[in-house]
Amino acid sequence: MAESGTDAGTAGEAAREAAVEAALGELDLDAKARLLGGRDMWSLHPLPGIGLKSLVMSDGPIGVRGVRWTADDPSVALPSPTALAAAWDPALARRAGRLLAQEARRKGVHVLLAPTVNLHRSPLGGRHFEAYGEDPLLTGAIGTGYVLGVQDGGVGTTVKHFVANDAETDRFTVDNRVAPRPLRELYLAPFEAIVKNARPWGIMTAYNQVNGVTMTEHHELVNEVLRGEWGFDGVNVSDWMAARSTAGALRGGLDVAMPGPVTVYGEALAAAVRAGEVAESAVDAAVRNVLRLAARVGALEGAPPAVTEPPTPIDGDALARELAHRGFVLVRNAVRKPAESPVRTEDPVRTGDPVRTGDPVRTGDPVRTEDPVRTGDPVRTGDPVRDGAPALPLVPGTTVALSGAAARDARVLGGGSAQVFPDHVVSPLDGLAAALPEGALTYAVGADPSDEPAPAGQGFALRARCRDAAGNLLGEGSLPGGQVQWIGDDLPEGVTHEALASVEVVGTFTPRETGAHSFGTRGLGAFVLTVAGETVFDGVQAMGSETDPFEAFFGSPVERAEVPLTAGETVEVSLLHTLDEEFAAPLPVVAFSLVHLGPRRDPDELIAEAVGAARAADTAVVVVATTERVESEGFDRTDLKLPGRQDDLVRAVAAANPNTVVVVNAGSPVEMPWREDVAAVLLTWFPGQEGGAALADVLTGAEEPGGRLPTTWPAVLADAPVTDVVPVDGELAYAEGPFIGYRAWDRSGRTPAYAFGHGLGYTTWSYDSLVAGPDTATVRITNTGDRPGRETVQVYLAPASGTGAPDRPGRVLAGFTSVTAGPGETVETAIALSRRAFEVWDEEKGDWAFVPGVYEVRAAHSLDDVRLTAVLEID
């Protein structure tokens, strides 16, 4: 069975340490230096002479892609980390980790490049979907569960990005200026918790600088804090291409420089030792860490692996579905209104509407004078409505009008290095069609979040043909879509970067819609685009204003031609890309895309179709979403608005049907200006491959939405207390100090749309008693509803006036747990209180200071829904 995460001193660890020392003693300087630099994009050099296999790494965090960008070996795609954090359940995160370890072992991967435990400092962070939220305690707890789970399966993790890598703008060069107190209380805190509670086998240091020192050379934070204070004994690997200096990196505690084959280590490191620039003992220390990792994952002969028997196999599809609904956050669930009740007197009269002559008059409404008269609408009769019942879950017999482009083509995961290729995706349309009776569901596009071409997907069947300069075929590879992304040795069989001169994406396209289809290119260099036998573009795409490699290679798609096509009639397509040294990347990479956009229809016409369907249904469900141009790696957001005409769609549908449910398919906060005008709002994050099935479970009531917000949700960006992500003269000042997230909202006195910890279920709870001590809060609660449910009990600690420094946050999360209970059942739970909630970092002493005094302990459903309080006096 798996060893415990805290088994230092066991016979197994002693045997591994002995094997590590024996192997180290067999290596000369050149071998040691070679081991510390990547062999290629994803692996380290093997050393057969000491029985060391090549250690293989792979991107995460929601799936294990493996070493190739291909759908030939698909991966289970779990919901985004924001969704995992929204479940507020470290045990669930551990189960997710065990599944990912299972996937890693299947793909021959030893180390997962995850989890990301940077904080949501500003809602504009473009990669926030890959992190756990704004609170260090919650982030540390979920990250601990995740790491324990992965390592339960005998696979290593690299907790990242150490540290203060909380935005994407100029991430390679930015100097984040962070005072010692917020650095300790916020940004280092999740890493500290994970190191102490999960003993991770790896850490990844970030691109950025902290207070003038790049993190791959940060002796103080790596050697003194991470290793010295916290006792980290794992491998410190650089983010890809982050290491800049041979001597500086080694002195700063960097063990492995990735990727290879050219790094600051290897031959350069051996030469630096011989020149007296660095000590060989420092090389030995780094090699010892790498060998220890190899021993733990079973890649070093003579060393017993940390896990000799992996955990029981896990059904990936079932867990992905469970994780999705457990992370869904129901932020609004108003009382359902009859589909055709008497006139609603509370609505304003809309004088421009055509009268709907076939509809029953709704007598409680003020006449709406601005709506046009609607003369041919079907009457909605027999709506299954219960007095006082909320909009969700749907009652049996409900008819549903579904709209939104993301309902058909769901965005189930974020962009950038987190991308994997599942063997199937259940969209909201798929999930609801399977769950509802025949004839109960209609679908209309309504609005598309993107008005620009995206990598070819639905309807395309593509392959890539690789040729040398003479035109000889070197090899072929399948493509998961129109995007080519080959990094390092991730090339089709028989192809090398040295011989490769051109790549041609070839295949067919069968359109779903008749009309003018747009085709284009994304990437740098020369392209020839052919559709249906006609060359529609032959030219060069040059570098734009991008400063990040992800933007440069995966940035702006360019439309090249519109081609009229007929639904169901297959045509051949081809995109020939000739490689050019002028556009070469700093590492071996081939990256470009064939992009496509379906026929553009009049946006008002699309919305009108959705409105017509909504009027004829009992309930309207609108799915709104962000796109990879809004949330992805390599850039930050400039606003929180939903792209395209999606807000207009929601408003129009809600005006037509009072029972409108909005499903928000986004990895982090977006503005929802219509939120008070709809019946229900359900946040599904990026829900993974089973997202549509989980959505159907929740909408129909088969499952309860289990999530609570891991990050504060602003009504508008202007309300957010911390928004700056753009450096000034290369520096980004964390001038807000220890006040981010709800701490900053409390200080500002502003009210967000939805508070940290908010989320509704399908039952109700009474909080019956609270007993608080210095270490534990014991809470008794009762399920007062008519169905089983799960409640996340949150405990906040608020220092009384005069307790400690005046600049302490007004309240902090001190502990939490989840409990389940049947109708009428009472449960009691003891929640451990974090000692750190009573402490501040004393910048003068350079140490933690326990602050005695009077505290209010608050047992809460959410930050703004406190149910019980108790006064606690600490000496």
Side-chain angles (χ1 to χ4, degrees):
M1 296 300 294
E3 291 184 2
S4 164
T6 57
D7 65 346
T10 64
E13 243 185 58
R16 284 193 292 278
E17 288 301 304
V20 165
E21 293 303 322
L24 178 60
E26 295 292 319
L27 298 178
D28 62 18
L29 174 61
D30 292 307
K32 289 185 287 190
R34 184 165 64 254
L35 179 60
L36 301 182
R39 178 179 71 165
D40 53 30
M41 191 66 186
W42 304 113
S43 68
L44 302 185
H45 293 276
L47 297 175
I50 60 169
L52 177 66
K53 299 175 184 177
S54 173
L55 286 169
V56 178
M57 309 178 197
S58 172
D59 273 325
I62 56 91
V64 184
R65 190 172 61 244
V67 300
R68 299 194 59 204
W69 191 269
T70 176
D72 291 344
D73 182 15
S75 310
V76 175
L78 301 180
S80 62
T82 41
L84 185 61
W88 286 61
D89 189 344
L92 186 65
R94 189 165 188 169
R95 291 172 58 204
R98 287 181 171 181
L99 172 63
L100 294 173
Q102 176 179 298
E103 286 279 279
R105 293 175 77 105
R106 180 176 67 81
K107 293 188 174 215
V109 168
H110 301 104
V111 180
L112 189 61
L113 302 174
T116 298
V117 298
N118 301 116
L119 297 182
H120 291 194
R121 173 179 168 267
S122 160
L124 293 176
R127 201 176 178 183
H128 279 348
F129 60 87
E130 200 176 317
Y132 292 135
E134 68 187 32
D135 183 78
L137 177 71
L138 177 62
T139 295
I142 302 301
T144 293
Y146 182 102
V147 168
L148 286 172
V150 175
Q151 293 179 179
D152 284 344
V155 174
T157 58
T158 60
V159 187
K160 62 183 186 181
H161 307 85
F162 190 72
V163 63
N165 184 187
D166 309 298
E168 294 292 281
T169 304
D170 295 344
R171 60 179 175 159
F172 289 91
T173 58
V174 62
D175 182 8
N176 293 322
R177 311 297 294 193
V178 193
R181 184 179 166 200
L183 187 59
R184 290 284 188 158
E185 293 183 10
L186 296 176
Y187 305 104
L188 287 171
F191 291 94
E192 180 183 10
I194 295 167
V195 168
K196 291 182 175 179
N197 297 321
R199 292 187 65 217
W201 300 345
I203 291 279
M204 181 188 290
T205 42
Y207 293 120
N208 55 279
Q209 300 176 57
V210 172
N211 299 329
V213 182
T214 185
M215 280 308 306
T216 51
E217 302 171 26
H218 214 300
H219 174 85
E220 177 190 356
L221 293 180
V222 173
N223 290 329
E224 296 180 13
V225 176
L226 175 63
R227 293 197 185 278
E229 290 183 29
W230 303 346
F232 173 67
D233 67 353
V235 166
N236 174 14
V237 59
S238 74
D239 204 341
W240 266 226
M241 299 167 51
R244 298 161 172 90
S245 162
T246 299
L250 192 68
R251 294 192 194 103
L254 183 69
D255 297 324
V256 174
M258 290 296 289
V262 178
T263 77
V264 298
Y265 285 166
E267 293 180 3
L269 179 56
V273 172
R274 292 186 174 106
E277 297 174 11
V278 293
E280 188 168 356
S281 60
V283 175
D284 289 346
V287 171
R288 185 176 288 112
N289 293 331
V290 174
L291 293 176
R292 183 179 297 119
L293 172 63
R296 285 168 167 166
V297 301
L300 179 64
E301 289 181 14
V307 175
T308 55
E309 184 180 339
T312 302
I314 298 171
D315 182 331
D317 293 352
L319 183 56
R321 187 168 179 167
E322 179 185 353
L323 289 169
H325 74 72
R326 287 285 306 278
F328 288 175
V329 183
L330 183 62
V331 295
R332 177 175 170 81
N333 196 18
V335 173
R336 180 179 175 84
K337 298 175 182 177
E340 290 301 339
S341 58
V343 176
R344 300 178 305 181
T345 57
E346 74 275 18
D347 283 358
V349 177
R350 299 191 297 194
T351 55
D353 263 23
V355 177
R356 300 185 301 175
T357 56
D359 281 6
V361 178
R362 298 184 296 195
T363 57
D365 275 28
V367 181
R368 298 182 300 185
T369 57
E370 75 273 24
D371 281 358
V373 177
R374 298 180 296 202
T375 55
D377 274 8
V379 178
R380 297 182 301 179
T381 60
D383 196 13
V385 176
R386 299 169 295 181
D387 268 350
L392 293 178
L394 302 174
V395 293
T398 298
T399 57
V400 175
L402 179 66
S403 61
R408 181 184 65 187
D409 301 319
R411 188 178 186 198
V412 300
L413 46 80
S417 60
Q419 187 168 6
V420 296
F421 305 104
D423 64 4
H424 69 276
V425 169
V426 182
S427 70
L429 179 57
D430 297 331
L432 283 170
L436 297 177
E438 186 175 352
L441 179 69
T442 62
Y443 173 71
V445 172
D448 196 318
S450 177
D451 59 358
E452 65 181 17
Q458 287 282 350
F460 287 85
L462 302 171
R463 293 186 63 79
R465 292 177 180 163
C466 302
R467 292 185 170 84
D468 62 17
N472 300 309
L473 185 66
L474 299 173
E476 294 191 12
S478 62
L479 291 178
Q483 181 170 310
V484 174
Q485 182 169 302
W486 298 330
I487 304 176
D489 293 337
D490 179 13
L491 292 166
E493 186 175 353
V495 180
T496 65
H497 285 282
E498 292 75 19
L500 183 63
S502 68
V503 180
E504 185 179 16
V505 175
V506 296
T508 61
F509 173 53
T510 305
R512 295 182 293 191
E513 301 169 272
T514 297
H517 288 254
S518 298
F519 294 84
T521 60
R522 186 170 72 173
L524 304 176
F527 294 97
V528 178
L529 175 62
T530 303
V531 181
E534 179 182 351
T535 297
V536 294
F537 175 72
D538 185 347
V540 174
Q541 186 164 328
M543 176 75 84
S545 59
E546 302 90 350
T547 60
D548 187 284
F550 272 90
E551 282 192 284
F553 287 99
F554 310 116
S556 302
V558 180
E559 186 176 336
R560 302 300 185 183
E562 283 192 344
V563 181
L565 299 175
T566 302
E569 294 187 5
T570 300
V571 296
E572 293 185 350
V573 294
S574 165
L575 178 63
L576 174 64
H577 175 48
T578 303
L579 305 185
D580 190 329
E581 284 295 323
E582 178 185 350
F583 301 107
L587 70 162
V589 59
V590 180
F592 67 97
S593 299
L594 167 64
V595 298
H596 166 263
L597 181 67
R600 292 179 174 89
R601 293 181 55 197
D602 181 85
D604 291 330
E605 180 182 313
L606 290 175
I607 290 174
E609 287 181 359
V611 167
R615 287 195 190 113
D618 300 324
T619 296
V621 176
V622 185
V623 181
V624 297
T626 59
T627 70
E628 66 172 9
R629 300 282 282 146
V630 174
E631 291 185 274
S632 190
E633 183 175 350
F635 57 88
D636 290 310
R637 300 158 75 181
T638 56
D639 59 48
L640 300 181
K641 299 182 185 301
L642 286 168
R645 294 283 302 278
Q646 295 181 103
D647 286 335
D648 293 339
L649 171 65
V650 173
R651 290 189 185 98
V653 169
N657 188 326
N659 300 312
T660 293
V661 175
V662 182
V663 176
V664 182
N665 179 194
S668 52
V670 294
E671 292 179 5
M672 302 184 294
W674 31 258
R675 68 187 186 282
E676 299 296 332
D677 301 322
V678 299
V681 180
L682 181 68
L683 313 178
T684 63
W685 313 102
F686 297 143
Q689 66 181 48
E690 305 296 325
L695 177 64
D697 290 340
V698 166
L699 294 185
T700 61
E703 299 288 354
E704 183 180 39
R708 305 292 184 265
L709 286 178
T711 195
T712 305
W713 204 281
V716 293
L717 176 61
D719 288 346
V722 181
T723 58
D724 55 319
V725 293
V726 178
V728 177
D729 297 328
E731 294 184 356
L732 181 61
Y734 284 39
E736 68 283 348
F739 295 94
I740 67 168
Y742 63 84
R743 295 163 167 83
W745 284 90
D746 280 351
R747 194 186 201 195
S748 72
R750 302 169 190 166
T751 302
Y754 302 108
F756 178 80
H758 174 67
L760 308 173
Y762 286 163
T763 189
T764 54
W765 300 87
S766 69
Y767 279 55
D768 306 324
S769 67
L770 165 65
V771 178
D775 304 310
T776 306
T778 302
V779 183
R780 180 182 290 117
I781 67 173
T782 300
N783 181 347
T784 55
D786 58 3
R787 60 175 285 162
R790 178 184 297 271
E791 173 73 339
T792 297
V793 182
Q794 304 162 38
V795 177
Y796 296 90
L797 193 68
S801 177
T803 297
D807 59 347
R808 292 181 73 186
R811 50 188 167 172
V812 296
L813 181 69
F816 64 91
T817 194
S818 293
V819 298
T820 58
E825 184 180 355
T826 297
V827 293
E828 185 173 275
T829 183
I831 302 169
L833 300 183
S834 168
R835 179 177 173 83
R836 284 290 161 79
F838 297 93
E839 296 179 326
V840 297
W841 181 259
D842 188 321
E843 294 187 343
E844 290 186 5
K845 295 181 179 179
D847 200 357
W848 290 101
F850 189 83
V851 183
V854 178
Y855 292 85
E856 186 175 75
V857 180
R858 301 171 179 175
H861 173 77
S862 69
L863 186 80
D864 64 350
D865 186 2
V866 176
R867 303 293 179 87
L868 296 171
T869 63
V871 175
L872 181 64
E873 187 166 356
I874 302 292
D875 296 329

